[in-house]
Amino acid sequence: MTATRLRWGALAWLLTLQFFVVEALAEARYTARYSRVGDVISTLGASDSPARQLMNASFVVQAVLILGGALLLRPALRGGAGRAVSALLGAAALGVLLVGVFPTDGNGTMHAIGAVLYLLGGGLGLVALAYAVRPHSEALGTAVVLLGMVAIAGTIFFLAGVTGYLGEGGTERAAAYPLPLALALTGIALWWVDRRGEEAPDSTSLRAERAREQARRAEQARARDTALETATRRHDGAGESDGIDPEDPWATTSRRD
């Protein structure tokens, strides 16, 4: 893929952090008492929220950024996991789009469908993304999969109504926040790899490199065994020459020595 395409895709995913900025602004303008532990995110986009238009616009922009980044970065995502990333993050993008277009106190059914699509698609999409970026960086893959597991666990607890520990709003945020965090992290990492001019090997080349290394070690072992065998034969030959009778008058001086 071209460097320009990679940079634009990385920028799109980095800009998904706009959600946190807009959420903080909407919360600051909320006239009633609002708690991130007790109140869900969608409350900031409801009709009684002074910043509802800003919050809902952020949801729509988030959908564009998630999907746009996934499409632009698709060539950088390896193997079958890369194809799964496009589908799962596409579902997440559709979900957050529905959340923004249909506020929670408007069309509640469509809003709920959108929320489920975003949470499930986002959590599973991060697991797939972790495998897709692992050839670039093991550390990046590990960080992304951990965020994905947090998102999946938060989604299960939120949908099952198990919110006593973190609260309804806190549990929803545990499910929703990892996606933009992981996408921004991935965008930065891929941009850094491109900036350094390093093309990370894919899984096939890694296997080929391991095979070459094994063959090299085997060749070294054969050479070592051959050298040891040659040295042993020389030592045995020297032992046989030492067995010549030094009193033999017919033996040459070099042989007696």
Side-chain angles (χ1 to χ4, degrees):
M1 68 181 299
T2 64
T4 300
R5 178 174 177 175
L6 189 149
R7 284 194 290 269
W8 278 108
L11 179 62
W13 276 1
L14 179 60
L15 289 178
T16 58
L17 295 178
Q18 60 85 27
F19 167 79
F20 297 107
V21 178
V22 174
E23 182 190 26
L25 292 174
E27 181 183 359
R29 293 181 58 187
Y30 201 75
T31 53
R33 179 181 175 84
Y34 184 86
S35 169
R36 293 198 179 202
V37 175
D39 296 315
V40 297
I41 301 170
S42 297
T43 302
L44 298 173
S47 58
D48 58 346
S49 172
R52 60 185 178 277
Q53 293 180 341
L54 179 63
M55 193 72 236
N56 290 327
S58 175
F59 289 139
V60 174
V61 170
Q62 195 77 338
V64 174
L65 293 173
I66 293 172
L67 183 59
L71 294 177
L72 288 170
L73 295 175
R74 174 64 188 87
L77 306 179
R78 309 296 189 179
R83 293 188 292 272
V85 169
S86 300
L88 291 169
L89 292 188
L94 175 60
V96 73
L97 176 65
L98 293 176
V99 167
V101 173
F102 302 101
T104 184
D105 57 351
N107 190 329
T109 300
M110 293 300 296
H111 185 90
I113 292 173
V116 171
L117 279 175
Y118 173 79
L119 295 178
L120 289 178
L124 295 175
L126 289 184
V127 175
L129 179 62
Y131 284 98
V133 300
R134 181 163 291 175
H136 292 285
S137 168
E138 286 285 345
L140 174 62
T142 300
V144 172
V145 78
L146 289 176
L147 287 169
M149 296 306 294
V150 171
I152 291 172
T155 298
I156 293 173
F157 288 138
F158 181 71
L159 296 180
V162 183
T163 58
Y165 297 100
L166 300 177
E168 187 177 14
T171 306
E172 183 192 40
R173 284 173 169 81
Y177 281 3
L179 181 57
L181 291 174
L183 294 184
L185 177 63
T186 302
I188 293 172
L190 293 179
W191 174 81
W192 179 251
V193 169
D194 176 69
R195 183 185 177 189
R196 292 171 62 191
E198 297 176 357
E199 180 62 28
D202 58 21
S203 58
T204 302
S205 61
L206 287 174
R207 286 194 297 268
E209 180 63 27
R210 284 195 293 267
R212 286 193 293 269
E213 179 63 19
Q214 291 173 355
R216 185 182 65 82
R217 291 180 180 178
E219 182 61 30
Q220 288 179 342
R222 284 193 295 269
R224 185 172 58 251
D225 292 342
T226 301
L228 289 173
E229 184 179 353
T230 302
T232 300
R233 285 199 299 267
R234 288 176 179 174
H235 181 271
D236 291 344
E240 291 174 0
S241 9
D242 290 343
I244 298 175
D245 185 0
E247 302 299 328
D248 183 1
W250 299 105
T252 62
T253 303
S254 61
R255 292 180 59 191
R256 282 199 300 268
D257 294 340

